[in-house]
Amino acid sequence: MLDISHEAFESMVADGLDSLHDDMLSRLDNVIFLVEDRPEDGSDTLGVYEGFSLAERGVYGYGEEPDRIILFRENLLEHCEDVTELAHEIRVTLVHEIAHFYGIDENRIHELGWG
């Protein structure tokens, strides 16, 4: 497993977000990005979107809890052979989870090559 500190990993996530096209990020509203070591269920998932997609929101306003996109640091570190692959996989995971925010389902994400 790669040995990268939590702080360095968070910096790589920030770089991954910075690398995404403005159009992908412009409609993100009330979404926070988090890094956790592993999912509570112990699975090997790399990331998760928790919240209501744009398609599900209906009336959405002041006082709503933020949606969360969580990247799982240890799972990503175990999944990648080197830092270059890790940076790529962080970006892919970000795109994948942001796609869920936009209401794109798992099958379509995989069809588009972001699964």
Side-chain angles (χ1 to χ4, degrees), residues 89-109:
E89 198 58 49
I90 286 171
R91 188 173 194 278
V92 168
T93 304
L94 287 168
V95 170
H96 182 111
E97 302 311 331
I98 290 169
H100 286 307
F101 168 83
Y102 286 110
I104 301 172
D105 70 21
E106 204 68 33
N107 290 334
R108 183 67 179 136
I109 292 170

Side-chain angles (χ1 to χ4, degrees), residues 20-89:
L20 300 177
H21 197 279
D22 289 342
D23 287 345
M24 180 177 286
L25 302 173
S26 66
R27 295 195 53 208
L28 290 179
D29 180 38
N30 203 27
V31 177
I32 59 173
F33 293 84
L34 301 169
V35 172
E36 295 181 3
D37 284 335
R38 292 192 181 275
E40 288 182 13
D41 66 3
S43 69
D44 62 356
T45 189
L46 304 180
V48 67
Y49 169 72
E50 296 177 346
F52 297 97
S53 73
L54 286 181
E56 299 173 311
R57 286 194 177 192
V59 176
Y60 190 82
Y62 181 76
E64 301 290 338
E65 291 291 320
D67 292 1
R68 301 168 11 127
I69 292 177
I70 305 169
L71 274 66
F72 297 110
R73 179 179 159 272
E74 291 180 6
N75 289 358
L76 280 155
L77 293 175
E78 288 175 354
H79 183 77
C80 299
E81 303 259 335
D82 57 39
V83 175
T84 301
E85 183 181 2
L86 177 61
H88 171 77
E89 198 58 49

